[in-house]
Amino acid sequence: MQPMEGKDPLIIAIDGPAASGKSTVARRVAAELGLVFVSSGEMYRAFAWWVTSKRVDPSDAVAVVDLLVRTDFVCGEKEGLGTVAVGGVPMTRAELSAPEVNAAVSAVAAIPEVRERLVAEQRRYGLERGVVMEGRDIGSVVFPDTPHKFYIDASPEVREARRRAEGIADSIAKRDRIDSSRSASPLVVPDGALVVDSSELSVDEVVARVLAAVREPARR
Ligand code: CDP
């Protein structure tokens, strides 16, 4: 399967709650298919980092939007992975997963103007080259027309345990609550998505299911 089928880029949308394993799976699927892997969450995290580093209160939507309109995003690619620079600062893993970013990101991502801006960046980027993009609204809002939609789930206990094992302080239950109940693009199972519960499956098994469904959509 080629990254561009005919003239349409191949777009694979993977959604799911925090620590469901979707980014590990998406990264592997992208490598298998020769597509760029994009974590849309990194874009929200990058902006949340910018907000906190500018000492703007993440719950003050007016101040956050005021900063947003003065901020540049540059989305690029390095070795098959999407990269993001915000305000001219290239983001590293340390910044994106900092505790203050975990605490601020869901409030920032619930602001409609922030979503509108980042969704436009995500669409432009994906349509230029073909991607495996993961997030909360990729199949429902960003690329609703792709036939390749997946929702990777896992029980709350398994997800909390995975995050603890990574040694990351993260209030998953709180983020889930905000992400699922917000009015702008809440986390939902997109229409037509194949739901995979990864609680009892290995990464290899989840990747195999996704690849099989991409290669033979009629059999899913
Ligand atoms: O890796 P994890 O699932 O913990 O989170 P992430 O994908 O890095 O996303 C961090 C936060 O960004 C989420 O909790 C959402 O609040 C927000 N987000 C979003 O609103 N929409 C997306 N498409 C991706 C992330």
Side-chain angles (χ1 to χ4, degrees):
M1 186 163 285
Q2 294 303 310
M4 307 288 266
E5 288 178 302
K7 62 178 168 33
D8 291 332
L10 181 58
I11 305 260
I12 299 177
I14 301 188
D15 290 298
S20 63
K22 62 189 186 306
S23 65
T24 308
V25 168
R27 195 181 294 255
R28 289 265 305 272
V29 168
E32 287 285 336
L33 297 174
L35 292 166
V36 178
F37 161 77
V38 178
S39 160
S40 62
E42 287 191 351
M43 297 170 67
Y44 291 96
R45 285 174 178 275
F47 184 56
W49 177 82
W50 190 241
V51 166
T52 54
S53 70
K54 295 284 171 197
R55 309 218 175 282
V56 170
D57 175 357
S59 64
D60 181 347
V62 172
V64 171
V65 172
D66 183 54
L67 180 64
L68 176 75
V69 299
R70 295 182 282 118
T71 301
D72 273 351
F73 291 88
V74 178
C75 299
E77 182 206 333
K78 195 174 172 202
E79 292 163 3
L81 305 179
T83 59
V84 59
V86 58
V89 183
M91 290 291 117
T92 65
R93 186 111 300 278
E95 278 137 8
L96 295 172
S97 59
E100 64 273 22
V101 170
N102 282 331
V105 63
S106 288
V108 168
I111 299 171
E113 288 88 342
V114 173
R115 306 203 67 80
E116 209 176 296
R117 174 82 181 274
L118 294 189
V119 166
E121 297 282 347
Q122 290 153 10
R123 284 194 185 126
R124 188 188 47 71
Y125 188 90
L127 293 172
E128 267 171 17
R129 65 197 87 207
V131 281
V132 179
M133 191 176 286
E134 58 100 351
R136 302 293 189 287
D137 60 344
I138 309 305
S140 57
V141 174
V142 183
F143 296 114
D145 296 333
T146 180
H148 307 296
K149 299 184 192 181
F150 299 90
Y151 186 91
I152 312 291
D153 210 350
S155 69
E157 297 73 26
V158 166
R159 296 190 289 111
E160 293 280 0
R162 285 179 184 163
R163 229 356 83 100
R164 264 199 312 277
E166 291 168 351
I168 294 172
D170 191 359
S171 47
I172 284 183
K174 184 170 175 214
R175 279 204 288 132
D176 280 354
R177 213 169 36 249
I178 303 178
D179 294 344
S180 302
S181 63
R182 68 185 177 212
S183 54
S185 319
L187 172 66
V188 290
V189 178
D191 276 349
L194 177 68
V195 178
V196 181
D197 186 333
S198 74
S199 308
E200 313 263 320
L201 298 177
S202 68
V203 171
D204 283 351
E205 287 169 315
V206 181
V207 170
R209 283 194 198 186
V210 171
L211 287 173
V214 170
R215 289 175 172 141
E216 296 185 71
R219 293 188 53 195
R220 60 195 243 183

